[in-house]
Amino acid sequence: MHPSQDSADELIAKIKHYLITLRGRLLKDANDDEFYLAFCFALREQITLNWTAYEKSQLESKVRTLYYLSLEYLPGRFIVNNIDNMGAMSLVQEVLKKTNRDFSHLICAEFDPGLGNGGLGRLAACFLESLSTQMYPARGYGLRYQYGIFDQEIWEGVQVERPDKWLYHFNPWERRNDMRAQTIHFSSGPAPEGVHVDDLWKHEQADEVRALAFDYPIVGQHSENYMPVLPLRLWSTEESPSNFKLQKYNSGDIGTASENITLTHVLYPNDNNDVGKRIRLKQEFLLVSASLQDIVSEFLDRYKSLDSFADKVRIQMNDTHSALAIAELMRLLSEENKIPWDEAFEIVTACCGFTIHTILKEAHEEWGEELIHSLLPKHYDIIKKLNASLCAAASQKFNNDQSKIDAVSILHQGRGRMTPLAIYGSHKVNGVAKLHTDILKADVCPTFCELFPDRFISITNGVTHRKWLHYSNPGLSELITKCIGNTWIHDFSKIRELEKFAGNKEVQEAFLEVKLKCKQKFIDFVKTHATHRESHGEEVHDEDILNPHALFDIQIKRIHEYKRQLLAALHTIILYQHHLENPNSERAPRIVIFAGKAAPGYEMAKNIIRLINCIGRKIDQDPKIKGKLRVLFIENYNVSRAQIIIPAADLSEQISLAGMEASGTGNMKLSMNGALTIGTEDGANIEMRESIGNEYWPFKFGLSASDVNAMVQDQTYRPRDIYNSNPIIKKAVDSLIDGSFTKNESEKAAFAAIYESLFEGTWSGRPDRYFILHDLITYAETQEKVEALFKNKLKWAELCLHNIAGMGPFSVDNTIQNYAKDVWGIEPCPTNPDIYKNVEKEYLEL
């Protein structure tokens, strides 16, 4: 029923079969890429067998089903997820031994899918894996980006974006499904005189785009006989010739001719220009329209009418990217299927849920009304009608208070606001941590909370411990199992039992040994991968030996001002200057490790990346600092690299300005792997501290969210006062503009812009918008506490073990159960044994 029941010889026979039939190669002649392809097809046989039975079981049981809409997914390499969740690791090792192949070569033949930007995509991937493992009836929808977000290279400290290569070779995990292709309509110009918007779809100026479906298996970890496999359906416009406008191409309009083909080329095209805005809006509508058409048509095939649609279908919008689902579902129900408007809206709100992932104003998407009207005239009319109803309800509720009506309006001051659209069309709206939800209610959408008081709930994010602990850190996994048994792998609440062993000296020493091996694995990775590049892109390998006994201080996340990589960079400068002034200092040796991508159009984030790399360059070239301090920036951060970095971490940097980080999931992964957190009271840090216990969370620092709000409201923050009164901070900040870390005019300009942001402000108009200098004081003091504790190795290990033991509530399984209960109302639906036997019988008869 799953590969662990096959013999190694049977799997090898299948590999040989696919090598000959797919590549015309014998096993002994096949290179690593050919072997990988044949291996995946051999493994896919059992996956597809279980996938077919699992989907058919859900179809025949006619259970309520969740459909998850997200522009981002970052699952990491499918091959390692599938092998581990199938319980086939020992079988695979035996196969590789018999065929004289190397496991690392096998998995490195696959590129990480470039389907996301950061935490949002990693979270969505965790959700699907957990839904599959817990056997909930569900399907994920997204876009099959040809080039993903981008591959990041660092040239002399500068981020350079390259096309992502994840589809460079044939992908053995995807299944093209032409039968599920959908047609999406955009308007290619204003409606001609006399043509009503309702008829525009039929007019020659309607622009048709064909979206092809590609299905990917999300294998859940099985604890019973049958392996759950959930489908992720990704839409592509790349491989449909009808999307290419040959006549426009031949007339010289080359850009417009290929625009619809490129809709799924790149995640988040730069929207600093009008073309980028149009492409991005089309991209988001493509996702919701293709997915909803698929859901409705499949539902009609199954039930013949939409009478039970509101009961059987649940749709979750993952952030504002999919908010247009409200308008598109209204169109499908009221226009395509002739359901009365009010009844259609009741169905929409019954089906839809909305997750808000940020409080940042710029992330709550708004589109110009003219752009919406020109591309989606029918949906613009629908949104206007929805807005009229919403404003009428607000007017009645708030006694014609125009300020409150404006606060909830979907269309306001020439902008179409996606957050109000999604909130109005959903039955539940959730934040992703307690503090985040409180801020949403109080500051981001308080009027909506008054209008719909029962609609807002909090569901804290989680991560899949199977991937981020059990697979990524096998040494620690083995130690935990030795202490408390293996039930924690399937039920992470059992991890709490580890706290009984936290004070055990033998366990502490064993933990430190595991951590040392993880750090050495990271060092080996650095030896074989360039730590930086010269100005023309030539790789430079690090010849200095990294010290595995040093404090590994790690900040890995998307580069953004609010996440405050600048705070850590300035502290690193303080450490550097301290060592210069105190050559005999006994401070703990430290390796500061950064990784993350900056959005292509985000200049300040790119400046911060450059600063970090220039600090590292300066330190590397200073023989007086050798062995005391290093700075590394790991380029092209992705899931596979995270699985090397995270187990090696001693210190987890979670230092965003309080009130800005919605939840965080890197904080959870790092704690699960035995890193202690230096963190603000932000996002899920608060709940992690409460679960772990204050005694074992010693590195809290910085302003609270209420402190920040008070200082912003009262306009009492004066960063220059801190600069003038603290000589250590002044010296560190001055180094940005005194040439300490620069070699050329371009670097001087970049660091001058950072300096100016601290004292003059940038586009926000407020100096030091994220309170870097204010929190740098307590941050530096707390870092001294970090080093003092780190020198007491056994005590450090004790606290690390307590941190791991307290992470039970932050398994994504717990998160999904809360969604299932409080938002979706769905129940697990395991594979029907009789259905599996029938599928297996047909398979074996082939």
Side-chain angles (χ1 to χ4, degrees):
M1 296 175 185
H2 46 78
S4 59
Q5 295 177 331
D6 286 341
S7 70
D9 290 337
E10 287 174 323
L11 193 54
I12 291 170
K14 292 178 181 178
I15 292 169
K16 290 178 178 178
H17 165 80
Y18 282 114
L19 277 171
I20 291 173
T21 56
L22 291 176
R23 284 291 185 263
R25 303 283 279 178
L26 299 178
L27 178 61
K28 65 182 180 64
D29 301 322
N31 62 30
D32 287 339
D33 288 337
E34 291 167 334
F35 182 85
Y36 157 80
L37 190 64
F39 174 89
C40 291
F41 271 100
L43 204 64
R44 204 177 83 164
E45 285 194 21
Q46 283 293 336
I47 291 175
T48 305
L49 180 64
N50 282 270
W51 187 0
T52 304
Y54 185 63
E55 282 200 300
K56 191 169 179 58
S57 296
Q58 293 181 2
L59 284 171
E60 294 200 2
S61 63
K62 296 187 176 182
V63 292
R64 177 181 290 177
T65 302
L66 165 71
Y67 300 97
Y68 194 76
L69 307 184
S70 178
L71 268 186
E72 293 192 39
Y73 294 96
L74 283 172
R77 294 181 175 119
F78 283 105
I79 187 171
V80 295
N81 296 344
N82 294 344
I83 290 172
D84 193 49
N85 274 2
M86 293 166 82
M89 191 62 73
S90 59
L91 171 65
V92 169
Q93 295 287 4
E94 186 180 352
V95 166
L96 296 177
K97 183 178 180 181
K98 286 190 171 188
T99 56
N100 196 28
R101 300 280 170 165
D102 184 84
F103 183 72
S104 63
H105 291 179
L106 175 67
I107 63 173
C108 286
E110 181 177 316
F111 292 104
D112 279 42
L115 299 171
N117 179 35
L120 188 73
R122 287 186 287 271
L123 177 72
C126 285
F127 273 25
L128 294 192
E129 190 274 347
S130 180
L131 284 162
S132 183
T133 293
Q134 298 187 80
M135 297 179 286
Y136 284 110
R139 176 184 295 156
Y141 283 104
L143 298 182
R144 181 182 177 268
Y145 306 106
Q146 192 75 15
Y147 303 111
I149 178 70
F150 58 83
D151 272 351
Q152 178 198 54
E153 295 179 357
I154 303 297
W155 293 19
E156 196 67 28
V158 177
Q159 173 177 290
V160 175
E161 297 100 22
R162 297 292 197 190
D164 192 304
K165 301 184 292 291
W166 84 283
L167 287 175
Y168 187 73
H169 297 296
F170 179 78
N171 190 325
W173 301 112
E174 68 182 14
R175 185 173 68 190
R176 178 167 162 166
N177 193 343
D178 286 34
M179 297 296 293
R180 302 310 308 176
Q182 303 295 335
T183 300
I184 295 89
H185 292 93
F186 298 100
S187 172
S188 58
E193 188 175 349
V195 176
H196 190 269
V197 68
D198 289 341
D199 299 321
L200 192 59
W201 301 123
K202 304 171 187 176
H203 194 270
E204 62 181 6
Q205 286 188 280
D207 200 2
E208 288 190 353
V209 176
R210 187 167 184 260
L212 290 176
F214 289 80
D215 293 342
Y216 293 77
I218 305 300
V219 177
Q221 189 172 73
H222 65 87
S223 57
E224 299 180 3
N225 291 328
Y226 305 103
M227 180 170 60
V229 184
L230 176 152
L232 169 60
R233 180 160 292 168
L234 302 179
W235 302 106
S236 172
T237 61
E238 169 76 17
E239 299 188 40
S240 184
S242 64
N243 294 337
F244 182 70
K245 306 301 181 184
L246 186 58
Q247 288 183 335
K248 288 187 176 182
Y249 182 87
N250 287 335
S251 67
D253 192 359
I254 296 173
T256 305
S258 59
E259 180 173 293
N260 289 334
I261 282 179
T262 66
L263 292 183
T264 55
H265 272 188
V266 178
L267 169 66
Y268 301 149
N270 194 335
D271 60 358
N272 290 346
N273 55 76
D274 289 341
V275 174
K277 287 181 172 66
R278 184 177 73 248
I279 296 295
R280 188 158 172 174
L281 180 58
K282 291 177 79 170
Q283 200 176 63
E284 294 184 1
F285 182 71
L286 171 74
L287 168 66
V288 301
S289 182
S291 303
L292 291 172
Q293 287 185 68
D294 193 49
I295 293 166
V296 171
S297 63
E298 200 172 71
F299 189 90
L300 287 171
D301 289 343
R302 188 175 174 188
Y303 292 99
K304 309 309 176 187
S305 79
L306 295 176
D307 292 348
S308 60
F309 193 85
D311 177 54
K312 298 296 186 181
V313 170
R314 290 295 176 266
I315 298 162
Q316 190 68 23
M317 296 175 287
N318 192 29
D319 227 349
T320 56
H321 310 133
S322 47
L324 286 169
I326 302 301
E328 173 66 350
L329 189 52
M330 282 298 297
R331 184 188 72 81
L332 289 170
L333 295 175
S334 64
E335 299 290 332
E336 296 290 328
N337 290 279
K338 309 306 178 186
I339 296 175
W341 177 270
D342 291 342
E343 183 182 341
F345 188 64
E346 288 180 6
I347 294 172
V348 169
T349 54
C351 292
C352 292
F354 176 43
T355 302
I356 302 178
H357 284 279
T358 182
I359 66 165
L360 292 175
K361 185 179 186 300
E362 59 266 29
H364 287 259
E365 290 181 308
E366 297 181 357
W367 302 105
E369 284 192 52
E370 289 186 8
L371 178 60
I372 300 172
H373 184 254
S374 64
L375 275 181
L376 304 168
K378 167 56 69 176
H379 298 82
Y380 180 71
D381 275 9
I382 290 171
I383 291 170
K384 280 204 302 183
K385 193 170 180 179
L386 289 172
N387 191 53
S389 298
L390 172 58
C391 291
S395 178
Q396 182 176 3
K397 172 76 173 180
F398 302 121
N399 196 26
N400 299 318
D401 184 332
Q402 191 60 46
S403 65
K404 294 201 170 185
I405 297 171
D406 290 344
V408 300
S409 180
I410 303 168
L411 301 173
H412 183 61
Q413 295 182 342
R415 309 290 292 172
R417 304 190 296 181
M418 296 298 100
T419 297
L421 175 62
I423 292 174
Y424 185 46
S426 299
H427 68 282
K428 290 294 180 185
V429 178
N430 72 283
V432 292
K434 291 176 183 175
L435 174 63
H436 174 238
T437 306
D438 289 343
I439 292 172
L440 288 178
K441 290 180 176 181
D443 299 330
V444 178
C445 38
T447 311
F448 267 114
C449 291
E450 290 183 69
L451 191 58
F452 306 116
D454 299 327
R455 193 164 293 190
F456 288 80
I457 62 173
S458 179
I459 301 179
T460 300
N461 283 340
V463 300
T464 173
H465 60 281
R466 290 172 288 277
K467 174 192 290 186
W468 292 105
L469 173 52
H470 176 59
Y471 171 77
S472 300
N473 200 338
L476 182 56
S477 176
E478 184 179 342
L479 174 61
I480 294 170
T481 296
K482 185 177 178 181
C483 291
I484 65 173
N486 65 1
T487 56
W488 66 273
I489 298 172
H490 301 292
D491 179 2
F492 201 53
S493 67
K494 302 294 185 185
I495 199 70
R496 179 67 73 178
E497 297 173 15
L498 187 64
E499 66 184 6
K500 294 182 294 187
F501 297 86
N504 184 302
K505 183 180 178 182
E506 289 185 9
V507 176
Q508 293 167 1
E509 290 174 341
F511 168 80
L512 292 171
E513 184 62 29
V514 167
K515 181 64 71 174
L516 189 64
K517 289 179 179 177
C518 291
K519 292 162 84 170
Q520 188 60 56
K521 182 179 178 181
F522 170 80
I523 291 170
D524 292 341
F525 168 82
V526 171
K527 286 179 182 177
T528 57
H529 293 76
T531 53
H532 57 284
R533 299 168 188 262
E534 296 289 3
S535 58
H536 298 292
E538 298 90 350
E539 292 187 358
V540 178
H541 288 272
D542 199 325
E543 296 181 358
D544 290 338
I545 298 174
L546 297 175
N547 176 12
H549 298 283
L551 174 69
F552 276 37
D553 176 355
I554 290 179
Q555 188 175 18
I556 45 174
K557 53 185 77 238
R558 182 168 52 93
I559 310 298
H560 198 291
E561 289 171 275
Y562 89 79
K563 293 178 184 289
R564 300 204 295 187
Q565 284 90 355
L566 179 57
L567 178 63
L570 287 172
H571 175 253
T572 305
I573 293 174
I574 290 173
L575 286 177
Y576 173 57
Q577 293 172 340
H578 168 84
H579 283 301
L580 289 178
E581 295 171 1
N582 303 275
N584 298 319
S585 172
E586 295 184 358
R587 296 195 70 157
R590 182 188 296 247
I591 301 174
V592 186
I593 300 163
F594 296 90
K597 297 179 181 179
Y602 193 173
E603 287 303 319
M604 186 58 71
K606 289 185 169 183
N607 290 340
I608 292 169
I609 289 177
R610 198 166 192 180
L611 174 63
I612 291 166
N613 280 281
C614 288
I615 294 169
R617 178 184 67 194
K618 180 73 170 182
I619 291 172
D620 284 349
Q621 294 172 352
D622 194 332
K624 298 186 292 296
I625 309 301
K626 192 174 182 63
K628 300 176 181 178
L629 182 65
R630 292 292 306 277
V631 177
L632 300 176
F633 191 98
I634 307 301
E635 69 178 17
N636 205 38
Y637 181 57
N638 58 22
V639 170
S640 294
R641 295 191 172 193
Q643 290 175 314
I644 297 170
I645 299 170
I646 288 173
D650 292 310
L651 187 66
S652 167
E653 297 272 355
Q654 307 301 328
I655 59 176
S656 54
L657 179 65
M660 301 303 296
E661 183 72 79
S663 169
T665 52
N667 49 0
M668 302 169 188
K669 296 163 192 167
L670 284 154
S671 285
M672 285 181 185
N673 280 271
L676 298 186
T677 300
I678 180 168
T680 53
E681 289 285 271
D682 197 22
N685 287 355
I686 298 170
E687 292 156 72
M688 289 169 59
R689 173 180 56 77
E690 292 170 349
S691 179
I692 291 165
N694 289 327
E695 181 182 356
Y696 309 114
W697 190 271
F699 307 137
K700 181 180 75 170
F701 79 96
L703 291 165
S704 68
S706 58
D707 292 334
V708 171
N709 285 338
M711 294 178 76
V712 170
Q713 293 297 323
D714 298 341
Q715 299 183 354
T716 55
Y717 180 45
R718 303 285 184 270
R720 195 169 289 279
D721 291 347
I722 294 172
Y723 166 84
N724 288 325
S725 63
N726 190 310
I728 293 175
I729 289 178
K730 184 177 188 302
K731 186 175 182 180
V733 173
D734 283 348
S735 71
L736 298 176
I737 56 172
D738 66 9
S740 295
F741 300 104
T742 57
K743 280 188 174 181
N744 54 53
E745 293 302 316
S746 179
E747 290 173 355
K748 288 180 181 179
F751 303 163
I754 296 174
Y755 181 91
E756 183 179 346
S757 74
L758 295 173
F759 299 115
E760 305 298 332
T762 52
W763 58 269
S764 69
R766 196 173 73 235
D768 194 8
R769 182 185 181 193
Y770 297 104
F771 292 80
I772 301 288
L773 298 187
H774 186 286
D775 278 359
L776 182 55
I777 300 169
T778 55
Y779 179 65
E781 292 170 351
T782 307
Q783 287 282 11
E784 292 185 25
K785 296 178 184 178
V786 168
E787 293 183 16
L789 183 60
F790 185 70
K791 291 178 181 179
N792 186 344
K793 297 294 184 183
L794 293 180
K795 186 64 177 178
W796 181 277
E798 180 182 355
L799 265 66
C800 291
L801 290 164
H802 275 291
N803 272 250
I804 298 168
M807 290 305 293
F810 305 98
S811 166
V812 72
D813 293 349
N814 187 57
T815 306
I816 289 299
Q817 289 164 17
N818 288 331
Y819 273 102
K821 175 171 61 75
D822 297 333
V823 181
W824 306 326
I826 59 175
E827 298 288 342
C829 180
T831 300
N832 183 315
D834 292 332
I835 290 176
Y836 180 88
K837 289 174 185 176
N838 289 335
V839 173
E840 184 182 47
K841 181 175 180 293
E842 286 203 23
Y843 165 74
L844 294 174
E845 288 174 350
L846 295 175

